[in-house]
Amino acid sequence: MTTVRRRTLTALFASAGVLLGTAACTSSSGSLPGSGTLSYDRVRSTAEQLRQNQGGQDVCPFGLDLGKALTAAGIPGTATPDTADGRAVDGDTGSGAPPQPWPSGFTHPPEMPSVPARPPHASVSCAWRVDGTPVRAELVATTQRGVAVNLMLPAIQRAAGAGVDQLQQIATDQPAAGQTELVPGTGGAALARVAIKGDGDLILLVSQDRTGAELDRALAGEPLRRAAEALAGQLR
């Protein structure tokens, strides 16, 4: 089996594990960010509005303010909207997908005859620069409890440069509602699971957007985790 196919299979198994409810709860925070005030329907309607707003906007929705989060986390620096890609704030939605056959030639668990279905989901992303360092917050909401991390695995892989083993660890050792954790790897990404209003699941990914560049250590590791925790607490 080629390296690419092996990695794809591992990612699929990780995803399936999340969809089957695999989760472990370890974190440094016991509070419930957002207090369950943000619903899936509100995230989706906001994402749809952002998609239709061709002119874009600079203010991140849901009360997310990176400048205030940096201050709360004790991190120096000034945060400004990053419009380098044309839009500092963007949204996307997905209608979900039914169960899919496993890729040809892959061995799958007997109890899992197909790749699990993907539920409807919506995402909102906000980009800033902190004294030149690009920072991105990505919020993903879905209608099914406990699967938002699964839907974010590609984004997590890009943000953290995570390898196969790290993706597996992320898939099986997730934050519970009210918890914020660093993504294994460079320390350049952090995940917060936020208490959601009603049914569904809500995850916030905060990362340095420095593909191919060296991390700003002032915004990595524990400082980044604290900033992510502060951002999660702002959601309303």
Side-chain angles (χ1 to χ4, degrees):
M1 182 182 295
T2 67
T3 300
V4 172
R5 291 178 69 186
R6 179 171 54 82
R7 289 178 177 176
T8 301
L9 179 58
T10 302
L12 285 170
F13 280 151
S15 300
V18 176
L19 286 170
L20 288 174
T22 303
C25 304
T26 58
S27 175
S28 59
S29 172
S31 63
L32 289 179
S35 301
T37 60
L38 197 59
S39 68
Y40 167 77
D41 288 342
R42 185 160 168 238
V43 175
R44 187 175 184 92
S45 63
T46 300
E48 289 172 343
Q49 291 171 8
L50 288 169
R51 289 181 63 187
Q52 295 168 5
N53 183 7
Q54 298 301 319
Q57 68 179 57
D58 292 342
V59 178
C60 195
F62 312 126
L64 289 177
D65 186 324
L66 182 60
K68 291 182 179 179
L70 294 178
T71 299
I75 302 171
T78 301
T80 56
D82 185 359
T83 57
D85 293 331
R87 306 179 72 166
V89 183
D90 207 353
D92 195 16
T93 60
S95 57
Q100 302 290 324
W102 288 100
S104 177
F106 284 152
T107 302
H108 59 81
E111 69 276 11
M112 207 180 303
S114 61
V115 178
R118 291 167 57 90
H121 55 278
S123 64
V124 171
S125 64
C126 302
W128 298 272
R129 282 190 175 268
V130 180
D131 298 336
T133 298
V135 176
R136 179 174 296 273
E138 300 176 69
L139 186 71
V140 168
T142 179
T143 57
Q144 186 174 338
R145 191 172 298 275
V147 303
V149 169
N150 168 72
L151 297 177
M152 291 195 81
L153 284 177
I156 293 170
Q157 184 176 33
R158 290 193 301 270
V164 175
D165 292 341
Q166 291 166 333
L167 282 177
Q168 183 69 55
Q169 181 180 348
I170 293 163
T172 57
D173 185 14
Q174 303 177 28
Q179 299 178 328
T180 304
E181 301 177 351
L182 280 173
V183 174
T186 63
L191 274 177
R193 177 169 261 122
V194 182
I196 192 169
K197 181 179 181 180
D199 293 331
D201 197 16
L202 188 61
I203 287 286
L204 177 69
L205 172 66
V206 182
S207 63
Q208 286 192 42
D209 193 7
R210 298 182 69 87
T211 304
E214 186 176 349
L215 285 177
D216 180 349
R217 301 313 307 181
L219 282 166
E222 177 59 18
L224 181 67
R225 192 204 64 79
R226 294 198 307 268
E229 187 172 61
L231 278 173
Q234 293 173 354
L235 287 166
R236 61 179 185 272

XYZ file of all heavy atoms in Angstrom, residues 91-162:
518
model
N -17.725 32.791 5.088
C -18.585 31.721 5.570
C -18.798 30.653 4.518
O -18.638 30.906 3.322
N -19.147 29.460 4.972
C -19.398 28.354 4.053
C -20.414 27.421 4.702
O -20.535 27.363 5.923
C -18.102 27.601 3.758
C -18.231 26.681 2.547
O -19.194 26.849 1.771
O -17.377 25.791 2.388
N -21.147 26.689 3.880
C -22.135 25.733 4.384
C -22.054 24.436 3.596
O -21.582 24.408 2.460
C -23.570 26.297 4.270
O -23.862 26.564 2.893
C -23.727 27.570 5.086
N -22.507 23.359 4.204
C -22.571 22.061 3.534
C -23.851 21.357 3.922
O -24.299 21.435 5.074
N -24.458 20.683 2.968
C -25.728 20.005 3.227
C -25.544 18.595 3.759
O -26.523 17.900 4.049
C -26.566 19.965 1.944
O -25.849 19.324 0.891
N -24.292 18.148 3.888
C -24.034 16.802 4.370
C -23.991 15.794 3.236
O -24.178 16.131 2.062
N -23.728 14.549 3.575
C -23.631 13.485 2.573
C -24.016 12.161 3.216
O -23.756 11.937 4.402
C -22.214 13.406 2.003
N -24.639 11.269 2.450
C -24.994 9.944 2.986
C -23.738 9.083 3.156
O -22.647 9.470 2.710
C -25.905 9.374 1.896
C -25.439 10.045 0.630
C -25.043 11.437 1.048
N -23.861 7.930 3.779
C -22.711 7.026 3.900
C -22.107 6.722 2.530
O -22.823 6.596 1.538
C -23.311 5.777 4.545
C -24.521 6.271 5.267
C -25.074 7.391 4.429
N -20.785 6.619 2.488
C -20.076 6.378 1.235
C -19.314 5.057 1.291
O -18.858 4.637 2.366
C -19.079 7.520 0.962
C -19.702 8.894 0.893
C -20.562 9.072 -0.339
O -20.245 8.552 -1.405
N -21.673 9.788 -0.193
N -19.130 4.388 0.153
C -18.308 3.163 0.141
C -16.861 3.483 0.500
O -16.366 4.589 0.223
C -18.416 2.686 -1.316
C -19.599 3.397 -1.886
C -19.696 4.703 -1.174
N -16.190 2.539 1.106
C -14.764 2.706 1.364
C -14.007 2.714 0.033
O -14.425 2.063 -0.923
C -14.242 1.561 2.230
C -14.708 1.626 3.646
C -15.722 0.917 4.207
C -14.182 2.450 4.685
N -15.866 1.234 5.526
C -14.935 2.171 5.853
C -13.151 3.379 4.757
C -14.677 2.808 7.068
C -12.895 4.013 5.972
C -13.650 3.721 7.103
N -12.892 3.454 -0.040
C -12.094 3.439 -1.272
C -11.674 2.022 -1.633
O -11.426 1.183 -0.760
C -10.879 4.301 -0.905
C -11.374 5.203 0.185
C -12.351 4.379 0.962
N -11.604 1.744 -2.895
C -11.269 0.416 -3.393
C -9.922 -0.053 -2.847
O -8.935 0.689 -2.852
C -11.231 0.435 -4.923
O -10.841 -0.823 -5.421
N -9.889 -1.277 -2.363
C -8.649 -1.864 -1.889
C -8.359 -1.636 -0.423
O -7.406 -2.212 0.107
N -9.157 -0.808 0.261
C -8.926 -0.524 1.670
C -9.661 -1.553 2.534
O -10.792 -1.936 2.249
C -9.402 0.873 2.038
C -8.477 1.968 1.565
C -8.988 3.221 1.284
C -7.119 1.753 1.404
C -8.151 4.241 0.846
C -6.283 2.752 0.963
C -6.798 4.000 0.689
N -8.994 -1.978 3.601
C -9.610 -2.873 4.563
C -10.307 -2.052 5.639
O -9.729 -1.106 6.166
C -8.553 -3.771 5.219
O -7.880 -4.514 4.196
C -9.196 -4.731 6.212
N -11.535 -2.380 5.955
C -12.295 -1.599 6.938
C -12.796 -2.521 8.044
O -12.894 -3.751 7.861
C -13.484 -0.906 6.262
C -14.431 -1.850 5.598
N -15.400 -2.547 6.294
C -14.557 -2.221 4.287
C -16.077 -3.293 5.456
N -15.594 -3.126 4.237
N -13.116 -1.963 9.207
C -13.651 -2.793 10.297
C -14.964 -3.442 9.885
O -15.774 -2.820 9.201
C -13.870 -1.775 11.430
C -13.019 -0.599 11.078
C -12.978 -0.555 9.590
N -15.214 -4.681 10.286
C -16.456 -5.376 9.909
C -17.707 -4.628 10.363
O -18.732 -4.661 9.689
C -16.340 -6.735 10.616
C -14.907 -6.904 10.932
C -14.322 -5.547 11.085
N -17.601 -3.954 11.517
C -18.775 -3.245 12.031
C -19.010 -1.904 11.333
O -19.973 -1.206 11.635
C -18.633 -3.016 13.550
C -17.557 -2.019 13.948
C -16.175 -2.653 14.028
O -16.024 -3.809 13.573
O -15.262 -1.997 14.551
N -18.131 -1.567 10.389
C -18.227 -0.289 9.700
C -18.232 -0.541 8.189
O -17.222 -0.385 7.510
C -17.053 0.607 10.092
C -17.327 2.099 10.007
S -15.859 3.031 10.489
C -15.560 2.386 12.137
N -19.340 -0.959 7.611
C -19.377 -1.345 6.203
C -19.212 -0.178 5.236
O -18.959 -0.398 4.055
C -20.760 -1.987 6.047
C -21.583 -1.362 7.121
C -20.650 -1.135 8.265
N -19.361 1.044 5.729
C -19.211 2.203 4.854
C -18.640 3.372 5.650
O -18.651 3.369 6.888
C -20.559 2.599 4.234
O -21.483 2.936 5.252
N -18.141 4.364 4.934
C -17.695 5.589 5.585
C -18.936 6.294 6.137
O -19.914 6.484 5.418
C -16.972 6.512 4.579
C -16.562 7.808 5.252
C -15.759 5.804 3.989
N -18.932 6.649 7.420
C -20.139 7.235 8.007
C -20.615 8.490 7.284
O -19.838 9.199 6.640
C -19.704 7.562 9.443
C -18.596 6.613 9.719
C -17.872 6.454 8.414
N -21.902 8.746 7.416
C -22.503 9.921 6.784
C -21.945 11.203 7.389
O -21.506 11.224 8.543
C -24.014 9.885 6.957
N -21.960 12.257 6.588
C -21.571 13.579 7.057
C -22.840 14.403 7.282
O -23.659 14.543 6.368
C -20.685 14.281 6.018
C -19.312 13.677 5.860
C -18.624 14.206 4.611
N -18.515 15.649 4.606
C -17.494 16.337 5.113
N -16.506 15.675 5.694
N -17.458 17.641 5.045
N -23.021 14.972 8.470
C -24.225 15.755 8.736
C -24.112 17.155 8.134
O -23.012 17.603 7.767
C -24.249 15.827 10.263
C -22.803 15.784 10.645
C -22.149 14.851 9.653
N -25.223 17.880 8.005
C -25.158 19.278 7.569
C -24.245 20.076 8.498
O -24.178 19.808 9.703
C -26.613 19.748 7.679
C -27.416 18.488 7.551
C -26.608 17.431 8.237
N -23.551 21.057 7.943
C -22.617 21.831 8.747
C -22.472 23.236 8.175
O -22.854 23.503 7.030
C -21.258 21.140 8.806
C -20.668 20.846 7.467
N -21.040 19.733 6.732
C -19.764 21.508 6.707
C -20.372 19.714 5.594
N -19.604 20.794 5.544
N -21.914 24.122 8.969
C -21.677 25.501 8.548
C -20.408 26.007 9.220
O -20.074 25.570 10.338
C -22.861 26.388 8.926
N -19.694 26.896 8.550
C -18.452 27.414 9.110
C -18.330 28.912 8.858
O -18.801 29.432 7.846
C -17.233 26.691 8.520
O -17.138 26.935 7.131
N -17.687 29.581 9.793
C -17.370 31.008 9.679
C -15.907 31.169 10.050
O -15.456 30.632 11.075
C -18.250 31.855 10.614
C -17.758 33.297 10.641
C -19.711 31.804 10.183
N -15.138 31.860 9.220
C -13.721 32.078 9.499
C -13.409 33.567 9.532
O -13.985 34.349 8.765
C -12.844 31.372 8.464
O -13.048 31.930 7.179
N -12.502 33.944 10.432
C -12.078 35.338 10.581
C -10.557 35.383 10.598
O -9.914 34.551 11.255
C -12.627 35.930 11.878
S -14.432 35.886 12.012
N -9.995 36.357 9.883
C -8.541 36.464 9.777
C -8.074 37.822 10.301
O -8.687 38.854 10.018
C -8.113 36.281 8.319
N -6.995 37.790 11.057
C -6.387 39.011 11.589
C -4.880 38.956 11.355
O -4.320 37.899 11.042
C -6.601 39.140 13.092
C -8.002 39.234 13.577
C -8.757 40.359 13.736
C -8.832 38.154 14.035
N -10.000 40.053 14.249
C -10.072 38.705 14.439
C -8.656 36.771 14.126
C -11.121 37.937 14.933
C -9.690 35.999 14.614
C -10.909 36.582 15.010
N -4.249 40.095 11.565
C -2.791 40.162 11.678
C -2.465 40.793 13.021
O -3.013 41.838 13.376
C -2.164 40.963 10.538
C -2.081 40.146 9.246
C -1.245 40.808 8.170
N -1.127 39.924 7.022
C -0.151 39.053 6.836
N 0.823 38.963 7.725
N -0.126 38.275 5.781
N -1.573 40.133 13.742
C -1.112 40.645 15.030
C 0.324 41.102 14.842
O 1.254 40.282 14.821
C -1.213 39.569 16.126
C -0.733 40.142 17.464
C -2.647 39.066 16.253
N 0.477 42.397 14.622
C 1.801 42.961 14.351
C 2.529 42.165 13.259
O 3.708 41.837 13.378
C 2.647 42.994 15.623
C 2.029 43.884 16.699
O 1.254 44.791 16.344
O 2.314 43.662 17.884
N 1.797 41.818 12.205
C 2.384 41.119 11.060
C 2.157 39.624 11.041
O 2.287 38.995 9.989
N 1.830 39.026 12.185
C 1.599 37.586 12.238
C 0.146 37.274 11.913
O -0.755 37.757 12.595
C 1.925 37.027 13.633
O 3.317 37.242 13.916
C 1.637 35.527 13.693
N -0.129 36.475 10.868
C -1.513 36.132 10.538
C -2.086 35.108 11.518
O -1.456 34.098 11.820
C -1.416 35.547 9.124
C 0.000 35.075 8.990
C 0.839 35.915 9.900
N -3.282 35.397 12.004
C -3.979 34.514 12.926
C -5.392 34.306 12.392
O -6.041 35.252 11.949
C -4.037 35.108 14.354
C -4.864 34.214 15.280
C -2.634 35.285 14.914
N -5.863 33.069 12.446
C -7.191 32.743 11.917
C -8.020 31.998 12.957
O -7.497 31.136 13.672
C -7.067 31.883 10.658
C -8.412 31.466 10.039
C -8.192 30.741 8.719
N -7.596 31.609 7.734
C -8.287 32.409 6.935
N -9.611 32.447 7.017
N -7.684 33.169 6.061
N -9.296 32.348 13.028
C -10.254 31.625 13.857
C -11.297 31.014 12.940
O -11.869 31.708 12.098
C -10.913 32.556 14.865
N -11.533 29.720 13.081
C -12.519 29.008 12.268
C -13.528 28.340 13.188
O -13.164 27.532 14.042
C -11.829 27.961 11.391
C -10.817 28.561 10.426
C -10.077 27.510 9.626
O -10.711 26.858 8.776
O -8.867 27.324 9.876
N -14.777 28.704 13.015
C -15.860 28.174 13.823
C -16.701 27.238 12.966
O -17.171 27.623 11.896
C -16.730 29.315 14.349
C -17.839 28.952 15.336
C -17.242 28.557 16.683
C -18.795 30.134 15.510
N -16.868 26.000 13.414
C -17.654 25.012 12.674
C -18.779 24.500 13.562
O -18.550 24.098 14.709
C -16.780 23.833 12.197
C -17.648 22.692 11.692
C -15.849 24.287 11.087
N -19.987 24.536 13.028
C -21.158 24.007 13.719
C -21.786 22.916 12.865
O -21.772 22.994 11.635
C -22.187 25.114 13.982
N -22.326 21.895 13.525
C -22.980 20.800 12.821
C -24.209 20.354 13.598
O -24.337 20.660 14.789
C -22.019 19.614 12.619
O -22.701 18.553 11.947
C -21.484 19.107 13.935
N -25.106 19.660 12.919
C -26.362 19.241 13.540
C -26.207 18.019 14.425
O -27.120 17.689 15.173
C -27.405 18.927 12.454
O -26.869 17.925 11.576
C -27.749 20.161 11.645
N -25.077 17.342 14.345
C -24.883 16.094 15.095
C -23.872 16.283 16.201
O -22.762 16.790 15.966
C -24.421 14.980 14.154
C -24.331 13.609 14.808
C -24.006 12.518 13.796
O -24.227 12.685 12.606
N -23.488 11.411 14.277
N -24.231 15.897 17.383
C -23.358 16.106 18.532
C -22.097 15.247 18.432
O -22.145 14.079 18.059
C -24.118 15.752 19.825
C -23.407 16.187 21.097
C -24.301 15.994 22.311
N -25.504 16.811 22.221
C -25.572 18.080 22.605
N -24.499 18.667 23.085
N -26.702 18.746 22.507
N -20.960 15.873 18.736
C -19.709 15.137 18.839
C -18.949 14.894 17.559
O -17.981 14.124 17.567
N -19.321 15.543 16.449
C -18.639 15.234 15.184
C -17.963 16.443 14.541
O -17.374 16.323 13.475
C -19.615 14.608 14.158
C -20.267 13.371 14.727
C -20.664 15.611 13.707
N -18.007 17.617 15.170
C -17.430 18.805 14.541
C -15.925 18.681 14.352
O -15.376 19.163 13.355
C -17.771 20.058 15.350
N -15.238 18.035 15.291
C -13.793 17.851 15.126
C -13.512 17.032 13.879
O -12.580 17.323 13.118
C -13.176 17.189 16.378
C -11.739 16.758 16.099
C -13.196 18.156 17.546
N -14.309 15.985 13.662
C -14.152 15.171 12.464
C -14.235 16.028 11.204
O -13.414 15.910 10.289
C -15.255 14.109 12.423
C -15.331 13.421 11.081
O -14.470 12.634 10.736
N -16.356 13.739 10.301
N -15.219 16.910 11.149
C -15.386 17.762 9.972
C -14.228 18.737 9.814
O -13.948 19.198 8.706
C -16.708 18.536 10.069
C -17.971 17.679 10.087
C -19.200 18.555 10.261
C -18.100 16.858 8.812
N -13.536 19.034 10.912
C -12.445 20.002 10.871
C -11.081 19.368 10.650
O -10.075 20.079 10.570
C -12.401 20.813 12.164
C -13.566 21.758 12.341
S -13.265 22.996 13.620
C -12.278 24.181 12.711
N -11.002 18.032 10.552
C -9.688 17.396 10.440
C -8.827 17.954 9.305
O -7.634 18.180 9.500
C -9.850 15.875 10.295
C -10.194 15.118 11.580
C -10.397 13.639 11.297
C -9.131 15.319 12.651
N -9.376 18.195 8.094
C -8.526 18.789 7.052
C -8.000 20.163 7.442
O -6.825 20.480 7.206
C -9.465 18.862 5.843
C -10.487 17.804 6.079
C -10.710 17.814 7.563
N -8.846 21.004 8.062
C -8.409 22.328 8.491
C -7.379 22.227 9.605
O -6.398 22.979 9.644
C -9.605 23.157 8.954
N -7.576 21.276 10.521
C -6.617 21.067 11.601
C -5.277 20.621 11.049
O -4.216 21.072 11.485
C -7.167 20.038 12.604
C -8.393 20.607 13.324
C -6.099 19.636 13.615
C -9.148 19.583 14.148
N -5.319 19.727 10.063
C -4.081 19.245 9.458
C -3.314 20.391 8.810
O -2.098 20.511 8.964
C -4.384 18.158 8.432
C -3.134 17.524 7.824
C -3.472 16.384 6.893
O -4.495 16.402 6.227
N -2.615 15.384 6.844
N -4.040 21.255 8.099
C -3.385 22.403 7.467
C -2.836 23.381 8.503
O -1.711 23.860 8.382
C -4.371 23.138 6.552
C -4.754 22.387 5.296
C -5.471 23.298 4.322
N -6.683 23.875 4.891
C -7.877 23.312 4.802
N -8.015 22.143 4.198
N -8.933 23.905 5.334
N -3.629 23.655 9.521
C -3.241 24.661 10.507
C -2.061 24.211 11.360
O -1.174 25.007 11.678
C -4.436 24.990 11.407
N -2.071 22.931 11.740
C -1.057 22.437 12.672
C 0.060 21.656 11.999
O 1.030 21.284 12.657
C -1.726 21.557 13.729
N -0.088 21.396 10.692
C 0.891 20.551 10.034
C 0.907 19.160 10.642
O 1.952 18.514 10.741
N -0.271 18.692 11.071
C -0.369 17.432 11.797
C -0.103 16.243 10.886
O -0.537 16.211 9.739
C -1.758 17.300 12.438
